[in-house]
C-alpha cells in the first residue's frame, strides 16, 4: 500500500508505521488489516465515511484503544502502545474529536492534565501553568482570555483552542488531529490551518482526520482512504483530483479503476 | 500581551485587555474579588439560620455555650463529609461510612478497653496513640478494599458500599456480641472534647493568632506569585478587606467561644479561686475538624491527587486519555474516606466514652447530606471541602436550633429533609442560570 510514497520521502525512515492493524468490537471488524505510514514534516489526511474506521485506527496509535493485532513502528523501532501515557511518552499527541477536556477544570488545568507543573514540594504550581498557557495561547489564539473559568463555560472554538494548545505544548513529534476544525468558525479555522502548516514546517508528522475533503486537500501531502475498516489506498495529493478521492471514499475504487460514468455518478 | 506575534485583524480594542470589563453588578464585583459566590451564600444562609433561631428560641441559640456545643456536635459529620465530597465529585458514593465507623470504633474500643490493658496495662500513656493509629489504618484498609472492588473490578460503588453498610454493622455487633464497650482510655477521651478535652482560653487565642498569620501569609504568597508572572492582581483594597474580614472572623469566633466558662464547681476543683472564670477554649474535636478541613482542602486543590479526582468527575474519559491512572485515584479516594471514618469514629467513641455496635447509625446519610448542602453535585466534578464542612454546620444548626425550640424529633427530620431538597433545588436553579 506504500507504493505511492514520493521518492524523496521513501529514502527516509517513516516516523510512524502502522502495519496490518486490526481492531474488532464484538464481531465487527472496525479496522481490518490497515497499513499506513507517516514521515517527518508530512501531513497524511485520513478520510472515509462515517464508520470507516478512521478514528478507531488512530486510537490505537494514541493508546486510547490498543489494537487486537498488528505492529507499530515509531522511527523504525517496534513499540507497544497500550496506554495514552505510553503514546505521550513516545511524543504522540492527540486532539480528539470529543476534545477530551475535563469540563469542570480551567484551561491551564486541562492543558497540563496528567502532566502538571509542580513546585519542589510537589504542589501544583498554578501560576506557572497559567503563565505557560497564556504564552502559548497568545500565539495560537490571541483572543483567548478565559484562563480561570472552567472550560464548560467556553465557546466551542475556545475549547478547541485548549485542546490544540495541549497537543502542541509538549513538543510532540507526531500529532493526531481528529476533526480539529469541526467546532470552529471561518476565522478560527484559518488560524488552525496556518498552525498545522507551521507545525509541519517544524518537522512534525501529522495525521489529519477530517470529513471535509477540501480541508484535507488544502493541507495534506498524502491521503489515505478507508472504507468499512479497510484501506482503499494511499495517494499523493498532487496526483489526484477531488473527484478521484471521493470515488475512493464512496465506492472504494482506486483512481485507476474509476470510469467516467462513476465520476458522473458522484455529482 | 506585548509579545503577541501572530495577531488576527479583527481584534477589537479593549478597555482592559487582561480580563473582563469593569465590574458593573454586585455579582461581577464578587467575581473580580475572586470570592467564591456559593461559599459566601452559604455563610449568609448560616447567619440567617443562627439569627432566626436566636429569636425563635428566646435568646438561647447565639450563646457561647450553644455554639461551643454546636461546634463539637458538628465535628464527626464534618470530618467524614470532607472525604465524601471527593467521593461524590468522582461520581461515586459511600453508603458504608456509618457502619464502618461502628466496626472501626468497636476495634478501637476493644483495643483500649480490653486488648491493650492486658498487654501493657490500663491507661498506659501510649494506649490512645496505638488505638487511634489502629483505627486510621483499619479504616483505610477497609476503605481501600471496597475502593479496589469498585475501581478495578468495576462494581458500582452504590452496590459495594451498600454491602459494606450491612457487613460492617454486623461485624461491629459480632466483635463484642453486641455489648457496649466502656470506659475509654482517659487520654483517648480527650479526642471527644468535653470539659477536659479542650485547650483552654490562652491556647485558643494562640491558635486563632496562628490562623490569622496563616491567612495573611497565604494571601501574600499568592500575590507575590502572581506579581512574579505579571498577572492581574486583586485590587489592593479588596485584598486588605478580605484579610481583615477573615482574621476578624477567626478572632471573633475565638473571643465568642472563649466566653464559655467551666462550671464553677469544676473550676474550683481545678484549684481556681472562687468566682474566677476559666474558659474552656476550643475543643479537640473542633481542632481536629479544622485541621482536617485545611489538609483536605490542600489535598483537593494543590496536589495532583485532588486535581485528578476533579478531572475524573468532570470527564472520566478525558482523565483516562490524559494518562491519569484513574483506577488508582478512585481506590485512593476510598482509602482516604476510610481513614477519615476511622478518625471520626475515634472522636465519636471518645465523646460517648463508649463503643457500641449502633455507633453512627444513619450517619452516612447525614454525611452525604452535608456534602450536598455544601454544594457538591451528584453529576460529578463539582464540590468543595469548606462547603461540605459548612453544610455539616448548617444541618447541625438546624437540629440544634429545633432542639432548643423544643421541636419534636419527627418534625426535625421533616425540616432537615425539606431544607436539603430546597438547598439543592436553589443551587441547581442558580447553576443553570449561570451557564
Amino acid at each position: 500500500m506504500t507504493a505511492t510514497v514520493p521518492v524523496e520521502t521513501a529514502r527516509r525512515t517513516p516516523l510512524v508505521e502502522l502495519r496490518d492493524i486490526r481492531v474488532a468490537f464484538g464481531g465487527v471488524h472496525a479496522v481490518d488489516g490497515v497499513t499506513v505510514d507517516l514521515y517527518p514534516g508530512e501531513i497524511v489526511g485520513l478520510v472515509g465515511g462515517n464508520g470507516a474506521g478512521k478514528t478507531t485506527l488512530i486510537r490505537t496509535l494514541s493508546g486510547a484503544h490498543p489494537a487486537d493485532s498488528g505492529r507499530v513502528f515509531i522511527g523504525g523501532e517496534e513499540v507497544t502502545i497500550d496506554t495514552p501515557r505510553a503514546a505521550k511518552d513516545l511524543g504522540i499527541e492527540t486532539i480528539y474529536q470529543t476534545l477530551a477536556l475535563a469540563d469542570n477544570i480551567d484551561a491551564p488545568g486541562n492543558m497540563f492534565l496528567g502532566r502538571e507543573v509542580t513546585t519542589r514540594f510537589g504542589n501544583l504550581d498554578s501560576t506557572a501553568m497559567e503563565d505557560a498557557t497564556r504564552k502559548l495561547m497568545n500565539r495560537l489564539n490571541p483572543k483567548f482570555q478565559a484562563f480561570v473559568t472552567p472550560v464548560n463555560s467556553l465557546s466551542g472554538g475556545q475549547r478547541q483552542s485548549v485542546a490544540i494548545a495541549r497537543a502542541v505544548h509538549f513538543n510532540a513529534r507526531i500529532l493526531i488531529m481528529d476533526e480539529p476544525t469541526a467546532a470552529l468558525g471561518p476565522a478560527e479555522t484559518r488560524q488552525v490551518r496556518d498552525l498545522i502548516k507551521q507545525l509541519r514546517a517544524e518537522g512534525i508528522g501529522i495525521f489529519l482526520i477530517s470529513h471535509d475533503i477540501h480541508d484535507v486537500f488544502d493541507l495534506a501531502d498524502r491521503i489515505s482512504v478507508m472504507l468499512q475498516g479497510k484501506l482503499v489506498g494511499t495517494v499523493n495529493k498532487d496526483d489526484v483530483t477531488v473527484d478521484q478521492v471521493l470515488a475512493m471514499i464512496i465506492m472504494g475504487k482506486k483512481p485507476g479503476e474509476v470510469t467516467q460514468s462513476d465520476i458522473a455518478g458522484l455529482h | 500581551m506585548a509579545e503577541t506575534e501572530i495577531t488576527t485583524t479583527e481584534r477589537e480594542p479593549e478597555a482592559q485587555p487582561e480580563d473582563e470589563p469593569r465590574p458593573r453588578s454586585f455579582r461581577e464585583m464578587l467575581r473580580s474579588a475572586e470570592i467564591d459566590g456559593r461559599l459566601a451564600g452559604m455563610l449568609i444562609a448560616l447567619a440567617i439560620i443562627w439569627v432566626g433561631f436566636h429569636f425563635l428560641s428566646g435568646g438561647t441559640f447565639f450563646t457561647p455555650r450553644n455554639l461551643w456545643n454546636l461546634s463539637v456536635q458538628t465535628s464527626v459529620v464534618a470530618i467524614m463529609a470532607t472525604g465524601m465530597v471527593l467521593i461524590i465529585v468522582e461520581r461515586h458514593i459511600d453508603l458504608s461510612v456509618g457502619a464502618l465507623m461502628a466496626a472501626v470504633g468497636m476495634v478501637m474500643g476493644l483495643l483500649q478497653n480490653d486488648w491493650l490493658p492486658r498487654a501493657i496495662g490500663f491507661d498506659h500513656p501510649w494506649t490512645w496513640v496505638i488505638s487511634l493509629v489502629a483505627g486510621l489504618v483499619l479504616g483505610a484498609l477497609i476503605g481501600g478494599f471496597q475502593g479496589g472492588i469498585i475501581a478495578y473490578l468495576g462494581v458500582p460503588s452504590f452496590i459495594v458500599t451498600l454491602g459494606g453498610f450491612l457487613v460492617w454493622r454486623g461485624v461491629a455487633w459480632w466483635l463484642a456480641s453486641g455489648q457496649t464497650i466502656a470506659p475509654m482510655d482517659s487520654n483517648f477521651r480527650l479526642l471527644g472534647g468535653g470539659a477536659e478535652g479542650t485547650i483552654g482560653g490562652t491556647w485558643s487565642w494562640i491558635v486563632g493568632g496562628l490562623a490569622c498569620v496563616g491567612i495573611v501569609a497565604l494571601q501574600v504568597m499568592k500575590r507575590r506569585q502572581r506579581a512574579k508572572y505579571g498577572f492581574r492582581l486583586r485590587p489592593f483594597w479588596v485584598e486588605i478587606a478580605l484579610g481583615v474580614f477573615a482574621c476578624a472572623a477567626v478572632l471573633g469566633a475565638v473571643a465568642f467561644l472563649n466566653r464559655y466558662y467551666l462550671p464553677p464547681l469544676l473550676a474550683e476543683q481545678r484549684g481556681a479561686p472562687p468566682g474566677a472564670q476559666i474558659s474552656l477554649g476550643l475543643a479537640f474535636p473542633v481542632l481536629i475538624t479544622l485541621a482536617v478541613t485545611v489538609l483536605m482542602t490542600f489535598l483537593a486543590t494543590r496536589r495532583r491527587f485532588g486535581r485528578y479526582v476533579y478531572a475524573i468527575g468532570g470527564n472520566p474519559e478525558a482523565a483516562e486519555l490524559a494518562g491519569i491512572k484513574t483506577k488508582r485515584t478512585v481506590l485512593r479516594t476510598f482509602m482516604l474516606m476510610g481513614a477519615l471514618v476511622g478518625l471520626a469514629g475515634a472522636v465519636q467513641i471518645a465523646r460517648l466514652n463508649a463503643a457500641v455496635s449502633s455507633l453512627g447509625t444513619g450517619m452516612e446519610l447525614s454525611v452525604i447530606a452535608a456534602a450536598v448542602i455544601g454544594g457538591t453535585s451528584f453529576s460529578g466534578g463539582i464540590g468543595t471541602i469548606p462547603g461540605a464542612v459548612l453544610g455539616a454546620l448548617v444541618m447541625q444548626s438546624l437540629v440544634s436550633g429545633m432542639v432548643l425550640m423544643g421541636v419534636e424529633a419527627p418534625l426535625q427530620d421533616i425540616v432537615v429533609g425539606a431544607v436539603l431538597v430546597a438547598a439543592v433545588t436553589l443551587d441547581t436553579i442558580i447553576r443553570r442560570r449561570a451557564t
Side-chain angles (χ1 to χ4, degrees), chain B residues 32-177:
Chain B
S32 82
E34 291 166 49
I35 292 168
D36 185 339
R38 179 171 297 119
L39 215 57
M42 283 191 60
L43 283 170
I44 292 167
L46 192 62
I48 292 170
I49 291 171
W50 284 9
V51 171
F53 274 127
H54 188 65
F55 287 111
L56 291 173
S57 65
T60 49
F61 190 90
F62 206 81
T63 57
R65 176 196 162 96
N66 188 51
L67 291 193
W68 190 92
N69 282 323
L70 188 62
S71 70
V72 175
Q73 287 158 354
T74 306
S75 304
V76 173
V77 169
I79 290 168
M80 291 194 281
T82 63
M84 191 61 82
V85 171
L86 298 188
I87 301 249
I88 299 176
V89 161
E90 255 173 7
R91 306 187 183 187
H92 286 293
I93 192 73
D94 193 341
L95 298 173
S96 71
V97 295
L100 182 56
M101 189 165 119
V104 175
M106 191 54 84
V107 169
M108 284 188 284
L110 285 168
L111 254 177
Q112 56 195 288
N113 183 277
D114 190 5
W115 304 338
L116 282 176
R118 287 188 208 187
I120 57 176
F122 196 72
D123 258 357
H124 190 276
W126 282 95
T127 300
W128 77 274
V129 183
I130 297 171
S131 305
L132 180 60
V133 170
L136 293 179
V137 171
L138 185 64
L141 285 177
I142 294 176
F145 173 64
Q146 296 185 149
I149 297 175
I150 292 159
Y152 288 93
L153 302 180
V155 185
S157 54
F158 189 96
I159 305 299
V160 173
T161 58
L162 181 63
F165 169 85
L166 298 166
V167 168
W168 306 121
R169 182 69 63 198
V171 167
W173 195 92
W174 221 353
L175 279 167
S177 307

Side-chain angles (χ1 to χ4, degrees), chain A:
Chain A
M1 292 294 176
T2 53
T4 49
V5 173
V7 184
E8 68 271 16
T9 55
R11 272 187 250 112
R12 289 182 286 161
T13 323
L15 193 54
V16 181
E17 208 184 338
L18 297 173
R19 225 184 264 170
D20 201 23
I21 300 292
R22 287 169 203 276
V23 183
F25 296 110
V28 183
H29 295 281
V31 175
D32 197 1
V34 172
T35 298
V36 289
D37 55 7
L38 175 71
Y39 287 81
E42 183 192 38
I43 299 173
V44 170
L46 207 51
V47 297
N50 284 334
K54 312 177 297 265
T55 298
T56 308
L57 173 68
I58 234 61
R59 280 169 73 91
T60 67
L61 182 60
S62 67
H65 187 98
D68 298 332
S69 71
R71 303 168 77 184
V72 180
F73 297 85
I74 303 292
E77 278 179 48
E78 181 157 15
V79 294
T80 313
I81 301 175
D82 47 4
T83 61
R85 185 92 251 166
K88 285 172 205 277
D89 290 344
L90 288 164
I92 304 168
E93 293 289 336
T94 312
I95 298 161
Y96 293 96
Q97 191 173 3
T98 57
L99 301 184
L101 298 174
D103 283 331
N104 53 336
I105 295 175
D106 59 14
N110 268 290
M111 206 170 105
F112 287 91
L113 195 59
R115 291 179 284 200
E116 288 77 8
V117 179
T118 54
T119 65
R120 70 204 128 113
F121 305 112
N123 301 330
L124 298 180
D125 194 342
S126 312
T127 19
M129 290 192 267
E130 189 182 330
D131 185 54
T133 310
R134 279 178 186 272
K135 284 191 175 130
L136 182 59
M137 278 300 183
N138 235 350
R139 196 157 70 93
L140 299 182
N141 182 1
K143 283 205 286 186
F144 188 97
Q145 291 301 336
F147 293 101
V148 290
T149 39
V151 297
N152 64 359
S153 56
L154 304 187
S155 71
Q158 287 176 316
R159 289 161 55 84
Q160 194 108 34
S161 299
V162 176
I164 293 173
R166 171 165 66 185
V168 174
H169 182 257
F170 294 93
N171 299 318
R173 284 196 296 162
I174 301 150
L175 212 53
I176 302 168
M177 298 179 143
D178 195 348
E179 305 279 3
T181 57
L184 301 183
E188 290 159 316
T189 301
R190 209 179 321 122
Q191 241 170 6
V192 171
R193 285 188 184 189
D194 290 344
L195 173 70
I196 292 174
K197 286 176 185 165
Q198 188 191 328
L199 294 169
R200 168 172 61 187
E202 289 169 14
I204 294 172
I206 300 171
F207 273 121
L208 177 68
I209 300 180
S210 182
H211 68 278
D212 182 350
I213 192 80
H214 299 287
D215 226 18
V216 175
F217 255 80
D218 180 40
L219 292 166
D221 300 298
R222 288 185 297 145
I223 300 171
S224 292
V225 182
M226 289 182 72
L227 180 69
Q228 290 169 359
K230 290 194 165 65
L231 186 75
V232 177
T234 301
V235 293
N236 278 327
K237 181 194 62 180
D238 296 336
D239 300 346
V240 292
T241 63
V242 173
D243 284 345
Q244 284 174 318
V245 174
L246 280 175
M248 290 172 81
I249 294 171
I250 297 165
M251 294 179 286
K253 287 186 177 178
K254 286 188 211 177
E257 307 163 1
V258 180
T259 63
Q260 277 307 314
S261 63
D262 286 338
I263 299 275
L266 290 173
H267 294 286

